[in-house]
Amino acid sequence: MSDVLEISDLSVTLDQGAARPILDGVSLTVAAGDFVALVGESGSGKSVTSRAALGLWPGQATVSGSVRSCGVEMVGASASDLDRVRRGQVGMVFQDPRAGINPVRRIGDFLTEGPQLALGWSAERANARALELLEAVSLPDPKRHLRQYPHELSGGMLQRVMIASALMTQPALLLCDEATTALDVTTQAEIVGILTTLCVDLGTAVLFVTHDLDLAAATCDRIAVMYAGQVVESGRAEDLFEDPHHPYTVGLLDSRPPLGGLAPDTDLQAIPGTPLSLAESPAGCRFATRCQARTPQCETRPGLLADGVQRLVRCWHPSGSTPASTPSGARS
Amino acid sequence: MSALAEPALKRLRQRTRGISALSIVSAAILVIFVVLALASSWIVPYDPTAGDFTAILQDPSAEHWLGTDQQGKDVLSMLIGGAWTSLLGPLGVVVVSTVLGFVVGMVAGWRGGWVDSVLSRGMDILFAFPALLLAILAVSLFGKGLTAATVAMSIAYLPYTARLVRGVVLQERARPYVLAYKGLGLSDTFIAVRRVLPNIAPLVLAQSAINFGYALLDLAAISFLGLGVQPPEPDWGAMINGGQSALLAGAPYAALAPAVAIVIVVIAFNEVGEELADRIQGIS
Amino acid sequence: MNAVPGPAERAQAVLAQGVHKSYWVGPTEITAVRDVSFTVRPGGALGIVGESGSGKTTLARMVVGIEEPDAGTLTVAGEPMLTRPRGASARVAQAKRAQMVFQDPYLSLDPRRTARQSLEDAVRAHTSGTRADIDARVDELLQHVGLGEREAGARPRRLSGGQRQRVAIARALAVDPAVLVLDEAVSALDVSVQAQILRLLVRVRAETGVALLFVSHDLGVVRYVCDDALVMFRGEIVERGPVGHLLDHPEHPYTRLLRASIPQEGWDPEAIGQARRDFLAGLG
């Protein structure tokens, strides 16, 4: 199976005033039709990573490494290459649907305009497709919604419109950046259900960016956990939950109060300190200042250790079943 | 010492980063005008009120850099001498209208209800009243001169500040931090005056800087009409009035120089005010 | 509307009986809270669970006196909470009954005050001690919520979300309230920081005996902090009980839907979506 997204050794540094690194050697692949979650807290660089798939860089940035979206290299891509990928092959859904939609245009125009202008679709074709997708995202009255304005719909309904819009051209990859975070839990569940069904049907791969490890595990096959601009651990969702290797993953899992209650005589385990951005974090292991298992070795940068298929961890002292110490993708 | 100086320097650099060159130039121009106004009596080359009938309507020369008017007064000296009243008037307008605007706006926004309705309608009425009509009214009460014009303009500018303050106070009043202060049992007066006022002041003062430019323009217009500063007291608006006939006689400098000065100062105040407002909005 | 408090009310930290609140949006009346009754015992912890529009925030605001009920009885430590308590002593007394911690820790702190200054304001409103007494109390509060000297001297802008929320909690505790109302107080925080604040709240409750009214949409978090919980839907309480029992054996269809909606092992979002549509359709 071919990869729709192939990020390798991506580093990004902002150049406003003093240089400020925000991503450090991120590697990530999403195979066709795959569901991959990118999990992290604020400042982890998860949004920057996902936007890289569209060749969207924050402000003035120096970018090194490679990002291939549907086979097209996005680092230093030409305007026509960027257009081709953004218009037809990679879709995106943001956290706030109202930010991404023109408030004075009808929903129908919003949905059909892009494909008509960019891909030369006929009005009939675009309209038919829009209607079909609004039905697929379970909106109650698609024909009426096409004529409505954004303010007439609730946040949950509008987010479905955004999903429909992102899938108009049947892209190979859909980026969801905290797409359900602002919604109520019951609405979130319904929309994630719609999203997954639709993407499976269309064969669209999903990169699901979220702060919610449980949601990531319930939605995706694979999870990459980011901290301070690095992927610190990645693997199959169930492996990550059953046997987390990186102390940060362990900490995140223990930070969530379980729905079924804590086991007797145990307490919630918080990670000390605050999530740091790459620029604030120590050289060497970026997590070291918050880590309980820190040793002097952690002052040097750990490489990525591979453990079996698709399992990587960036730590000198991984917990759980010890991964085979075969450094992979480690840089100096 | 250096340990203390270093972060201060860094902070200064952070603060000045991103300020447009135009704003810096504008601020510099304003400083120059203020210095000229303050030092005018020492630096004017001629007495700005004394004419010289042997040298009327002269073109710029080495002796008279900006020429002379029809009474033979040195235009440059009048420009520098007039800077004082031309800047003092708007300053009075801005100070009075800002102080009163704060009072009216805070009371209206904070108390709400009928108090707000009464004050807001009052401001609407003032708003609808032409500033020039107010000026004529003030002149009939106080007589011609800078005081009457300043009082009239202060009243005319009051609704702008009051409305802004009221709007910001309404917004601020619903903020959780104000609710938290109330929840702690602090008095409304304490919260409004000691805590909310300092938070909204920078934004309102930025607006006042912009108002300064407009007030200068309006006061110049009043002096131009002969209702404000009276000759021989030098003033930019009065100078334009005095220079009118010379303009037709082909000696434009007496009217042109103060006009250009007004345009420059108004634009500079506008630019600085906008920059301040932008930066304050960016912070909060 | 509020009857004279009897012994039953005085025995409860919070007592709500038939509380009703509605708003007018143009010509339509929207009921935010409908006939809600509950109690929180002194030192107890009650969770109020619901989604947006459930009325949970309105309820929280009424308990701290930001809003008053239209009908019904709501007392905190035996007394009704008023939006405008009369006189300084009444304000201070009301402040000691209930304090609130808001969702957004940035907006709920005065942007111009350092953490230490914010706490000083709170302490000063409730003690007439010397400067040294106040400093000592502020130090004690800072230590209590785990803030160091550096954080104490920083304004909100330079603090992380978790640190800001610690300041907000310390400020609320400064007056030693009978009830602490937390309105989604941890939902804006990163997961790893959220756990720190949750642990802090549990510790604070154990050490000070303050009762908690914990408003949240997050069932796992409510289970960790609270003894009992009630589930609200469209302004009404649909189910209540000990939090463990409520989550392990939900009876009302809405509680079940809410419970099932949380991402967990064997999560089936499609089935939940169908259940949600069925539930909403069943309401007509």
Side-chain angles (χ1 to χ4, degrees):
Chain A
M1 230 184 330
S2 65
D3 292 335
V4 288
L5 178 64
E6 223 183 321
I7 298 178
S8 50
D9 209 14
L10 176 68
S11 293
V12 176
T13 302
L14 284 180
D15 297 327
Q16 288 148 337
R20 200 181 137 83
I22 48 175
L23 285 188
D24 175 17
V26 170
S27 298
L28 182 78
T29 53
V30 180
D34 235 1
F35 280 42
V36 176
L38 204 52
V39 176
E41 297 182 288
S42 48
S44 63
K46 57 189 192 297
S47 286
V48 179
T49 305
S50 74
R51 275 156 210 225
L54 285 168
L56 290 170
W57 315 107
Q60 295 164 312
T62 306
V63 181
S64 70
S66 154
V67 178
R68 295 181 75 80
S69 295
C70 303
V72 182
E73 177 59 55
M74 303 307 283
V75 177
S78 66
S80 66
D81 275 352
L82 286 177
D83 277 353
R84 190 151 50 87
V85 170
R86 288 177 190 170
R87 279 177 182 164
Q89 295 171 327
V90 180
M92 183 146 193
V93 183
F94 298 93
Q95 175 170 352
D96 179 6
R98 291 194 199 275
I101 190 163
N102 185 343
V104 297
R105 308 240 24 204
R106 292 176 199 274
I107 304 286
D109 295 335
F110 168 71
L111 288 173
T112 55
E113 200 171 54
Q116 275 180 272
L117 288 176
L119 304 173
W121 287 17
S122 68
E124 291 75 38
R125 181 179 172 194
N127 271 322
R129 176 75 176 158
L131 209 57
E132 183 191 340
L133 275 167
L134 288 188
E135 258 163 47
V137 295
S138 303
L139 279 169
D141 190 354
K143 281 209 177 88
R144 195 164 64 89
H145 296 316
L146 283 178
R147 293 190 307 272
Q148 282 181 309
Y149 289 95
H151 69 88
E152 296 175 68
L153 300 183
S154 71
M157 290 168 96
L158 211 53
Q159 195 60 299
R160 294 173 211 213
V161 172
M162 299 310 284
I163 292 169
S165 158
L167 295 175
M168 279 291 282
T169 57
Q170 195 168 342
L173 173 65
L174 181 67
L175 309 169
C176 296
D177 189 354
E178 299 276 11
T180 59
T181 305
L183 304 171
D184 279 324
V185 273
T186 57
T187 317
Q188 165 175 284
E190 186 174 357
I191 288 192
V192 169
I194 290 164
L195 187 78
T196 44
T197 315
L198 212 52
C199 287
V200 168
D201 287 353
L202 295 172
T204 298
V206 177
L207 183 63
F208 201 86
V209 179
T210 177
H211 67 283
D212 187 336
L213 204 46
D214 294 306
L215 178 62
T219 316
C220 296
D221 319 313
R222 284 197 303 125
I223 297 179
V225 179
M226 287 192 73
Y227 184 82
Q230 296 180 324
V231 173
V232 293
E233 180 164 12
S234 64
R236 297 196 318 148
E238 55 267 40
D239 293 347
L240 222 68
F241 264 63
E242 276 163 26
D243 183 21
H245 288 345
H246 197 284
Y248 179 62
T249 316
V250 176
L252 273 187
L253 287 169
D254 289 345
S255 293
R256 282 286 306 143
L259 199 53
L262 288 158
D265 300 320
T266 59
D267 196 1
L268 207 56
Q269 296 303 310
I271 305 173
T274 355
L276 299 177
S277 65
L278 179 55
E280 301 163 318
S281 65
C285 174
R286 303 292 181 183
F287 185 63
T289 42
R290 300 181 73 192
C291 186
Q292 313 278 14
R294 171 177 73 239
T295 65
Q297 196 179 13
C298 303
E299 282 163 30
T300 50
R301 190 179 190 272
L304 276 172
L305 297 182
D307 172 27
V309 187
Q310 297 187 330
R311 192 77 199 270
L312 292 169
V313 59
R314 192 186 282 280
C315 178
W316 291 115
H317 316 287
S319 52
S321 60
T322 328
S325 338
T326 44
S328 137
R331 286 192 314 167
S332 56
Chain B
M1 271 314 274
S2 67
L4 270 173
E6 204 169 282
L9 202 70
K10 202 172 147 197
R11 232 175 297 142
L12 185 74
R13 220 176 288 140
Q14 276 171 350
R15 282 197 177 173
T16 50
R17 186 185 302 156
I19 296 183
S20 69
L22 193 58
S23 303
I24 293 171
V25 171
S26 299
I29 288 173
L30 293 180
V31 169
I32 290 170
F33 269 99
V34 169
V35 169
L36 285 179
L38 290 173
S40 62
S41 45
W42 293 284
I43 58 171
V44 285
Y46 299 90
D47 179 353
T49 60
D52 175 2
F53 287 101
T54 62
I56 61 167
L57 292 179
Q58 286 192 352
D59 278 347
S61 63
E63 280 154 57
H64 301 284
W65 291 4
L66 291 175
T68 61
D69 74 351
Q70 64 229 32
Q71 290 157 19
K73 290 189 278 193
D74 179 52
V75 172
L76 180 64
S77 299
M78 288 170 74
L79 197 67
I80 296 174
W84 178 243
T85 52
S86 301
L87 293 178
L88 193 67
L91 183 70
V93 171
V94 163
V95 168
V96 173
S97 67
T98 302
V99 169
L100 290 180
F102 258 113
V103 173
V104 173
M106 289 285 292
V107 170
W110 197 268
R111 291 294 299 275
W114 66 267
V115 177
D116 182 25
S117 302
V118 169
L119 288 173
S120 292
R121 289 301 83 73
M123 290 301 111
D124 288 348
I125 292 167
L126 273 187
F127 223 35
F129 220 79
L132 222 50
L133 219 59
L134 275 175
I136 294 168
L137 206 69
V139 167
S140 66
L141 283 173
F142 300 98
K144 290 179 182 178
L146 189 61
T147 317
T150 305
V151 168
M153 284 302 119
S154 299
I155 294 170
Y157 276 83
L158 168 61
Y160 291 95
T161 321
R163 275 188 175 183
L164 176 68
V165 172
R166 176 182 172 272
V168 185
V169 166
L170 275 180
Q171 237 175 47
E172 212 71 3
R173 200 180 60 163
R175 291 244 166 126
Y177 86 85
V178 174
L179 296 178
Y181 275 137
K182 282 194 175 187
L184 286 170
L186 298 165
S187 79
D188 272 32
T189 320
F190 177 87
I191 302 170
V193 177
R194 298 286 301 280
R195 293 292 174 261
V196 171
L197 188 74
N199 288 347
I200 64 170
L203 186 68
V204 180
L205 293 181
Q207 178 62 41
S208 295
I210 297 173
N211 283 351
F212 189 101
Y214 293 127
L216 190 146
L217 210 56
D218 284 347
L219 284 175
I222 291 171
S223 289
F224 174 80
L225 292 172
L227 299 172
V229 178
Q230 297 299 306
E233 183 93 13
D235 176 88
W236 295 350
M239 278 174 77
I240 299 176
N241 186 10
Q244 268 184 110
S245 48
L247 204 61
L248 298 172
Y253 298 100
L256 210 54
V260 169
I262 289 172
V263 169
I264 289 175
V265 171
V266 170
I267 291 176
F269 262 107
N270 226 318
E271 182 58 34
V272 170
E274 296 275 3
E275 178 80 39
L276 282 175
D278 279 358
R279 296 185 74 75
I280 290 157
Q281 237 133 36
I283 292 167
S284 59
Chain C
M1 237 156 288
N2 284 302
V4 178
E9 280 118 39
R10 244 174 248 129
Q12 297 294 349
V14 184
L15 179 106
Q17 272 175 342
V19 169
H20 199 93
K21 179 78 184 174
S22 54
Y23 299 97
W24 288 91
V25 179
T28 44
E29 187 180 19
I30 291 169
T31 304
V33 172
R34 192 195 306 272
D35 191 23
V36 162
S37 304
F38 65 90
T39 56
V40 183
R41 62 176 175 77
L46 176 71
I48 297 181
V49 178
E51 297 183 290
S52 51
S54 64
K56 62 188 196 300
T57 292
T58 306
L59 199 56
R61 288 165 73 93
M62 286 192 285
V63 171
V64 293
I66 294 172
E67 285 167 58
E68 280 178 40
D70 296 333
T73 311
L74 178 61
T75 63
V76 177
E79 302 280 337
M81 298 293 280
L82 309 172
T83 48
R84 286 177 180 276
R86 300 237 160 182
S89 62
R91 281 201 309 268
V92 170
Q94 175 158 314
K96 289 183 88 72
R97 293 204 294 277
Q99 282 294 313
M100 178 127 154
V101 178
F102 296 85
Q103 170 170 12
D104 188 325
Y106 188 42
L107 293 179
S108 71
L109 297 175
D110 190 335
R112 294 177 70 86
R113 312 282 290 165
T114 66
R116 176 174 286 281
Q117 287 170 331
S118 278
L119 297 185
E120 277 170 5
D121 276 347
V123 171
R124 223 181 259 132
H126 290 265
T127 43
S128 47
T130 61
R131 175 85 221 176
D133 292 341
I134 291 168
D135 283 350
R137 176 73 176 131
V138 170
D139 285 336
E140 187 192 346
L141 287 164
L142 285 167
Q143 202 191 351
H144 202 64
V145 297
L147 289 173
E149 263 317 300
R150 193 199 71 77
E151 291 89 4
R155 288 188 182 173
R157 223 153 65 87
R158 306 201 78 68
L159 295 173
S160 69
Q163 288 164 342
R164 289 174 200 154
Q165 209 57 308
R166 285 172 196 268
V167 178
I169 291 169
R171 178 181 58 186
L173 293 175
V175 309
D176 203 10
V179 180
L180 191 58
V181 178
L182 301 114
D183 183 12
E184 296 281 9
V186 296
S187 40
L189 303 175
D190 278 315
V191 183
S192 68
V193 177
Q194 183 181 330
Q196 299 168 9
I197 301 297
L198 291 174
R199 285 175 56 123
L200 172 66
L201 286 172
V202 168
R203 200 189 79 217
V204 159
R205 180 185 166 211
E207 286 174 9
T208 65
V210 66
L212 302 180
L213 190 68
F214 191 88
V215 176
S216 177
H217 71 280
D218 189 328
L219 296 176
V221 162
V222 169
R223 179 167 198 157
Y224 178 72
V225 175
C226 303
D227 308 329
D228 302 294
L230 44 90
V231 180
M232 289 188 71
F233 179 74
R234 294 194 179 166
E236 291 178 76
I237 297 174
V238 295
E239 191 167 359
R240 67 178 88 209
V243 69
H245 188 264
L246 191 72
L247 292 186
D248 293 340
H249 309 284
E251 278 167 24
H252 192 277
Y254 179 70
T255 316
R256 283 197 212 142
L257 175 64
L258 207 56
R259 173 76 169 77
S261 294
I262 292 157
Q264 55 200 295
E265 230 182 302
W267 196 52
D268 184 353
E270 252 186 287
I272 299 159
Q274 192 54 51
R276 179 172 182 266
R277 286 190 289 275
D278 292 346
F279 172 72
L280 293 175
L283 296 171

